[in-house]
Amino acid sequence: MKCSCCQQEIIRNLTFKELLFTFLIKKQRCDFCQKKFTKIPTTACPTCSKPGWQTQCDECKQWQMLYPNYEFCHQALFCYDEAFKEWIYQYKFLGDFRLKATFSSEIQAYFSKRKEWIIVAVPLSKERFLKRGFNQVEAFLQAANVKTQHLLEKKVDSTPQSEKNRQERLAAPQVFRATQEISMVKNKKVVLVDDVYTTGRTLFHAAEILQNYQPKEIQTFSLAR
C-alpha cells in the first residue's frame, strides 16, 4: 500500500478483515506525511475556522454586515501553512492527480455526518478545466466517495485567486451562475466545498447564487484555512 501523499510504500500488518475484503483497505498517509499537516486547532473562529480566535473573527463580522441574511458557517480541516501550500501546488498547479486521495479519511469522516445534505463543489470555468484537466475539488470528493451535484457553473475565466492580493480577491465580481438543476436545493441543506478558504470571497459568491433558490441551510467546507 502506498502513502496517499508521498506515494512511498507503507508497510504495516493488515487486519483479518482487510485480508478477506481488500476494499476495506483505506487510503492513508505514512507517519511522516501524517505529521506534516497541521490540523485546525480548537482555538479557532467558530464561524470560519480561522486559527487563533476564540470568538468570531473580524473578517466574519465584516461578512455578516455584507450578508446579514446568511447564517454562514465554515469548517476547514488543516491550516494553510507551508506544508499545505506545497501540497496544493503539486496537486492543483502541477496536476499530480494521485494526490486527490491524500485527505480521503478526514473528508469521509466529515461528510458521514451529512449524508442527507446536497454537496456542491465550487466549479471551474470551461477554459480552466480544459487547461488543468480536472476539477481539483470534485476529484478529492470523488476519491472520498462523496457524491456531488452540478448546481453552479463559472461563467467567466477569471484570473486565478492565487495570483491576486487580498484586496483584489475581495473586490472580485460575481463569476457564478445557476445550472438548470438548481431548483433541487429548495428547502434542502447544502454544503459548498472549495479547496482553500483565504478571504472567503469565492464561497460567499457561490452561496449568494444558491440563496436565491431558498435552501434550508448552507454550510461551507474546505481542506485548509
Side-chain angles (χ1 to χ4, degrees):
M1 179 172 56
K2 290 185 178 181
C3 170
S4 59
C5 183
C6 69
Q7 309 302 316
Q8 297 299 310
E9 290 290 340
I10 298 176
I11 299 175
R12 71 172 178 86
N13 293 325
L14 297 177
T15 66
F16 182 69
K17 281 188 176 181
E18 288 174 330
L19 289 171
L20 287 178
F21 308 103
T22 55
F23 64 88
L24 292 176
I25 302 175
K26 297 181 179 180
K27 289 284 187 178
Q28 66 180 64
R29 298 188 295 278
C30 65
D31 289 342
F32 176 79
C33 291
Q34 191 72 20
K35 297 174 182 177
K36 185 163 63 171
F37 301 100
T38 305
K39 291 186 176 181
I40 295 291
T42 54
T43 52
C45 172
T47 313
C48 75
S49 295
K50 184 177 182 179
W53 292 77
Q54 294 183 337
T55 58
Q56 190 179 57
C57 71
D58 293 341
E59 292 177 25
C60 286
K61 291 176 182 177
Q62 294 175 353
W63 283 121
Q64 196 71 75
M65 292 176 62
L66 190 60
Y67 293 95
N69 299 319
Y70 174 27
E71 296 290 335
F72 64 95
C73 178
H74 181 81
Q75 187 168 341
L77 298 176
F78 299 96
C79 296
Y80 189 52
D81 54 15
E82 289 305 314
F84 197 92
K85 289 178 182 178
E86 179 184 349
W87 177 86
I88 201 75
Y89 178 74
Q90 292 287 333
Y91 173 53
K92 183 176 178 178
F93 299 107
L94 296 186
D96 191 343
F97 195 64
R98 298 172 299 175
L99 298 181
K100 64 181 180 177
T102 300
F103 305 109
S104 287
S105 295
E106 289 88 352
I107 295 169
Q108 288 171 347
Y110 176 83
F111 285 100
S112 67
K113 302 173 184 178
R114 291 163 177 79
K115 292 183 178 179
E116 303 302 319
W117 292 56
I118 294 174
I119 314 303
V120 180
V122 169
L124 299 179
S125 66
K126 292 180 180 179
E127 293 84 356
R128 187 73 55 194
F129 182 84
L130 289 173
K131 183 176 181 180
R132 186 172 297 160
F134 64 99
N135 180 323
Q136 75 278 1
V137 179
E138 287 186 349
F140 68 64
L141 288 172
Q142 290 170 358
N145 296 315
V146 177
K147 182 181 178 181
T148 61
Q149 298 292 339
H150 182 59
L151 305 184
L152 296 172
E153 59 185 13
K154 194 172 184 181
K155 57 188 179 181
V156 293
D157 182 30
S158 56
T159 303
Q161 293 288 75
S162 59
E163 297 179 15
K164 299 176 182 177
N165 60 37
R166 179 175 178 79
Q167 293 305 315
E168 290 172 332
R169 294 183 185 195
L170 291 172
Q174 175 62 265
V175 293
F176 300 115
R177 62 187 172 200
T179 66
Q180 292 182 347
E181 294 80 15
I182 193 69
S183 60
M184 71 164 58
V185 305
K186 187 173 183 179
N187 298 322
K188 299 292 181 62
K189 294 182 178 181
V190 182
V191 181
L192 270 169
V193 185
D194 204 357
D195 49 10
V196 178
Y197 182 119
T198 47
T199 64
R201 178 71 278 180
T202 298
L203 285 168
F204 275 94
H205 268 156
E208 183 180 325
I209 300 299
L210 293 179
Q211 275 192 302
N212 294 328
Y213 298 87
Q214 303 176 334
K216 183 177 182 180
E217 183 179 351
I218 300 174
Q219 291 187 2
T220 56
F221 171 84
S222 65
L223 295 179
R225 171 72 170 99

